[in-house]
Amino acid sequence: MKKYDYILIGSGPAAYKLSNLLAKTSRKVLVVDGDEFGGTCPNYGCEPKIFLEGATRVVLQSQQLQGRGIKQAASIDWRELMATKLNRFNSWPEETKAIIAKSHDVESGYAHFVDDNTIEVNGHQYQSNQIVIATGQRSHRLAIPGEQFTHTSRDVLSLPHLPQHVTFIGGGYVAMELATVLGAAGASITIIDHSARPLKAFPASKVQVVTEAMEKRGIEFLMNTSVQGIRQQDEGFIVQTDQGEIPTDYVVDTSGRQPNIDRLALAAANVNSDRGGIIVNEHLQTSNPNVYAIGDVISRPQPKLTPVAEFEGEYLFDYLEGKTTAAIKYPTIGTAAFTFPEIAEAGVKEEVARGNSQYQIKTLNLKYSSLAAGQNDQTGKLTLIFEGDALVGVSAVGDNAADDVNNFLPVIGLRITGEEYRQAIIAIYPALADKVAGGLI
């Protein structure tokens, strides 16, 4: 039986960060993955999605500027766009595996635990006193009649032909972002959600701005609606709901994501988990002292995002290699949905601050700036949340909301005052960052 200093189960952003740091040491490492090396984000998640968003943004902005100097809006050739996307991303899993293999042993296959410090892959057993689980999440599948007719976001990101009508089940990040892309490409879109509104993680007032903009582009929202089943007909499918039937050509199950733990045989290693994933302590250690977990597979309140996973990979390296004994402390985390308009936030949430006397809220309409007027962005709104003189939260909606929120992250995370910021920085004019230094804080 081969023994290693470290065994990493998974090779996504969290494990990839950790493996790169371990490559600079003399440690003997095994990296195991049963899916695409590199994980969800670079292969069938955030990176190919944001690649498609590039063409989407051009189309939607050109539509927004018709009659204001643009005579004809741009359009998407879906087959050409998808061919370009596949040309860029198809080689990434093997390239990632090759990079890891330069420094570590690799095994393609699904791992499961045999005991507290032993795993088995493809009939071979391996041991380590430091095993790291980084298997991430996968798309949740609704247990309804006709579930075999549904597709996942992974399918959409390699969709060879654009369906005429696409129905999304669920109204989270994935549904809203992919609906934006497919809608801009020319598909008719219906979004069904059992909740009262989509994007529940973001402020309701700003989500309303996003949904109204999407509705103006013809995207249909059926809220407070539950899907009961899907049946196939001669041409396409019928989605059966408690509010009626919806004919469609393609159904995407975006009802959520779930941790990839079912193949691991966690009980054999005495590793505890719950619905959210693997339970860890303040050092990312599981109930088994030989086993740690990082990335989206963890049950934690922080957003399950690529930069957060990478942060955990770096922290765990420092902790296991004796560079720190401190508990993990998460920094200020910015989140965004790349819809059109975008929506983003960081720090104290707007819903928490409203009605709480310890916070002061300042909301600004951004549409009057020359930048927004030139783009005909009528949606831009920015909310700043203060606790005394300190900026502690921000949310934004608009064509550039993600970048707008990023402007404020240093102020929140570094805990500096507005005066300190203005004395240290003169930002590029005329952009939102200039307004940060110009008096918003």
Side-chain angles (χ1 to χ4, degrees), residues 9 27 65 89 91 116 124 135 171 217 222 236 239 243 263 291 301 321 334-335 346 387 407 411 422 434 437:
I9 306 175
R27 304 300 187 192
L65 287 167
F89 290 99
S91 62
D116 281 3
H124 304 122
T135 48
R217 300 197 301 268
L222 300 177
V239 179
Q243 304 296 322
R263 295 175 184 261
V291 180
E321 288 295 304
T335 62
E387 187 174 12
N407 287 323
V411 182
R422 289 188 289 276
D434 166 72

Side-chain angles (χ1 to χ4, degrees), residues 214-233:
M214 294 174 73
E215 285 174 334
K216 286 180 181 178
R217 300 197 301 268
I219 294 175
E220 179 185 26
F221 288 89
L222 300 177
M223 309 310 295
N224 297 306
T225 302
S226 296
V227 174
Q228 299 175 328
I230 302 163
R231 71 175 189 271
Q232 191 174 26
Q233 57 180 7

Side-chain angles (χ1 to χ4, degrees), residues 78-393:
W78 183 259
R79 289 188 182 184
E80 186 175 38
L81 177 61
M82 190 54 58
T84 307
K85 175 259 173 185
L86 294 173
N87 184 59
R88 173 177 171 81
F89 290 99
N90 272 1
S91 62
W92 283 25
E94 286 304 315
E95 290 172 358
T96 302
K97 183 179 180 181
I99 290 170
I100 296 172
K102 288 180 180 179
S103 306
H104 309 308
D105 289 352
V106 297
E107 180 95 41
S108 294
Y110 290 100
H112 67 269
F113 284 94
V114 175
D115 57 37
D116 281 3
N117 65 346
T118 308
I119 65 165
E120 184 172 305
V121 189
N122 299 325
H124 304 122
Q125 293 190 355
Y126 307 98
Q127 272 189 350
S128 176
N129 290 326
Q130 295 181 128
I131 300 175
V132 181
I133 302 171
T135 48
Q137 292 182 308
R138 68 181 185 277
S139 296
H140 174 265
R141 304 301 289 264
L142 286 173
I144 55 174
E147 65 177 293
Q148 69 271 23
F149 300 128
T150 65
H151 300 271
T152 68
S153 57
R154 184 171 182 171
D155 300 324
V156 175
L157 289 168
S158 294
L159 189 60
H161 307 290
L162 185 69
Q164 186 173 348
H165 184 276
V166 180
T167 298
F168 289 91
I169 304 173
Y173 287 81
V174 176
M176 295 290 278
E177 290 180 342
L178 292 181
T180 299
V181 171
L182 296 181
S188 297
I189 305 293
T190 298
I191 295 174
I192 306 171
D193 198 330
H194 63 84
S195 301
R197 67 178 178 92
L199 293 176
K200 293 186 290 295
F202 292 97
S205 62
K206 293 181 174 63
V207 173
Q208 183 177 354
V209 173
V210 174
T211 54
E212 287 178 354
M214 294 174 73
E215 285 174 334
K216 286 180 181 178
R217 300 197 301 268
I219 294 175
E220 179 185 26
F221 288 89
L222 300 177
M223 309 310 295
N224 297 306
T225 302
S226 296
V227 174
Q228 299 175 328
I230 302 163
R231 71 175 189 271
Q232 191 174 26
Q233 57 180 7
D234 291 341
E235 294 184 7
F237 303 90
I238 295 292
V239 179
Q240 300 165 296
T241 79
D242 59 356
Q243 304 296 322
E245 296 186 340
I246 300 141
T248 191
D249 300 304
Y250 195 85
V251 183
V252 189
D253 186 341
T254 49
S255 56
R257 295 182 66 75
Q258 63 189 58
N260 280 319
I261 58 177
D262 49 310
R263 295 175 184 261
L264 291 171
L266 295 177
N270 298 302
V271 173
N272 294 335
S273 65
D274 61 19
R275 184 178 179 181
I278 293 174
I279 299 170
V280 296
N281 64 15
E282 68 275 13
H283 298 297
L284 303 179
Q285 186 179 45
T286 72
S287 49
N288 177 343
N290 296 323
V291 180
Y292 296 79
I294 51 178
D296 289 359
V297 75
I298 293 178
S299 180
R300 53 165 158 76
Q302 289 77 18
K304 297 198 174 187
L305 303 170
T306 293
V308 178
E310 293 174 335
F311 180 82
E312 290 169 345
E314 187 168 0
Y315 165 81
L316 190 58
F317 172 80
D318 288 343
Y319 179 71
L320 294 178
E321 288 295 304
K323 298 178 184 295
T324 185
T325 58
I328 188 168
K329 183 179 180 182
Y330 290 92
T332 300
I333 301 169
T335 62
F338 290 95
T339 49
F340 190 86
E342 298 172 350
I343 187 169
E345 68 175 359
V348 174
K349 289 181 173 291
E350 189 175 330
E351 318 286 21
V352 172
R354 294 202 180 278
N356 189 328
S357 60
Q358 77 179 88
Y359 299 111
Q360 302 79 49
I361 300 175
K362 181 191 292 186
T363 297
L364 303 101
N365 195 323
L366 302 178
K367 71 178 182 179
Y368 301 110
S369 72
S370 295
L371 177 63
Q375 296 174 343
N376 194 24
D377 178 8
Q378 300 294 308
T379 63
K381 287 184 173 61
L382 176 72
T383 298
L384 303 178
I385 300 170
F386 296 87
E387 187 174 12
D389 294 333
L391 181 69
V392 295

